[in-house]
Amino acid sequence: MFKFNNINLDIWTETYGIGFYLSYLSRWPDLCCVQEAPNGRMMGYVIGKAEGSNTEWHGHVTAITVAPEYRRLSLARKMMTLLEMVSDETYKGFFVDLYVRCANTVAINMYEGLGYSVYRRVREYYGNLGIGKGGRDEEDAFDMRKPLSRDPHQRSIRMNGRDMLVRAQDVS
């Protein structure tokens, strides 16, 4: 696990206990991916899961991160593409979703470039650290979604997602 320190010691990366990672690897191994450099150094990883029911059945990106020295090499794009493909073809999900801090504009721009859009804003998803720019809590999250092939009419997304505010306790 120490091989992941260069990745996890980033202010935007949520880290978890070893049991959390092992539970994902045992339940959804095909939704977990590690990028490793030829010298054995970890470059990045994605962990995900399949969840929901009926038309809410979807792939979920629990964490994706790339070590700072390996950014801008399209590693995150490649890992997201793999997770989306497995969510679509193996799990037959309707969409893929993820949560991202509203202040993380670099990640939001990347996700939008990959076809994700904001479905809703979740108040204080990451806790409450006070009011930030524009009078909104910086620790809110955007729930971003990308429809998959089972959602040809794109019912899993909405145009005004940034205006849809929900409380963290109302998100399952």
Side-chain angles (χ1 to χ4, degrees):
M1 288 306 289
F2 291 119
K3 291 177 78 172
F4 288 90
N5 280 351
N6 67 312
I7 302 169
N8 282 340
L9 298 176
D10 172 16
I11 62 167
W12 298 115
T13 300
E14 289 291 316
T15 56
Y16 307 95
I18 190 163
F20 183 87
Y21 293 107
L22 292 175
S23 72
Y24 271 70
L25 284 170
S26 66
R27 292 181 70 188
W28 304 285
D30 45 357
L31 291 173
C32 300
C33 175
V34 173
Q35 295 284 320
E36 186 177 353
N39 65 4
R41 189 161 169 85
M42 293 296 134
M43 299 188 303
Y45 67 84
V46 62
I47 59 174
K49 63 182 176 179
E51 64 181 1
S53 60
N54 302 317
T55 59
E56 290 295 310
W57 178 248
H58 65 282
H60 174 73
V61 180
T62 302
I64 184 166
T65 189
V66 174
E69 63 270 28
Y70 296 107
R71 292 187 181 148
R72 311 216 37 94
L73 299 174
S74 297
L75 295 175
R77 176 182 301 274
K78 291 173 186 171
M79 290 186 290
M80 289 294 292
T81 299
L82 175 66
L83 189 139
E84 292 164 7
M85 182 189 71
V86 172
S87 296
D88 193 27
E89 296 175 8
T90 302
Y91 289 96
K92 308 291 187 216
F94 285 85
F95 59 93
V96 171
D97 80 340
L98 58 88
Y99 292 91
V100 60
R101 293 175 192 271
C102 294
N104 191 348
T105 55
V106 172
I108 292 166
N109 290 336
M110 180 192 76
Y111 295 133
E112 288 176 338
L114 293 172
Y116 287 78
S117 61
V118 175
Y119 182 74
R120 59 188 169 184
R121 184 180 181 128
V122 183
R123 300 282 297 148
E124 299 176 4
Y125 181 81
Y126 292 103
N128 185 347
L129 295 180
I131 302 299
K133 297 177 189 167
R136 292 191 168 174
D137 189 330
E138 289 295 321
E139 294 302 298
D140 289 0
F142 285 138
D143 174 0
M144 298 187 76
R145 296 183 177 189
K146 179 178 181 176
L148 299 175
S149 64
R150 282 190 73 192
D151 184 15
H153 301 293
Q154 300 187 346
R155 291 186 173 104
S156 60
I157 60 173
R158 59 170 61 118
M159 299 305 295
N160 61 341
R162 289 176 188 260
D163 299 326
M164 302 299 293
L165 295 173
V166 297
R167 300 178 306 166
Q169 58 265 36
D170 296 331
V171 175
S172 56

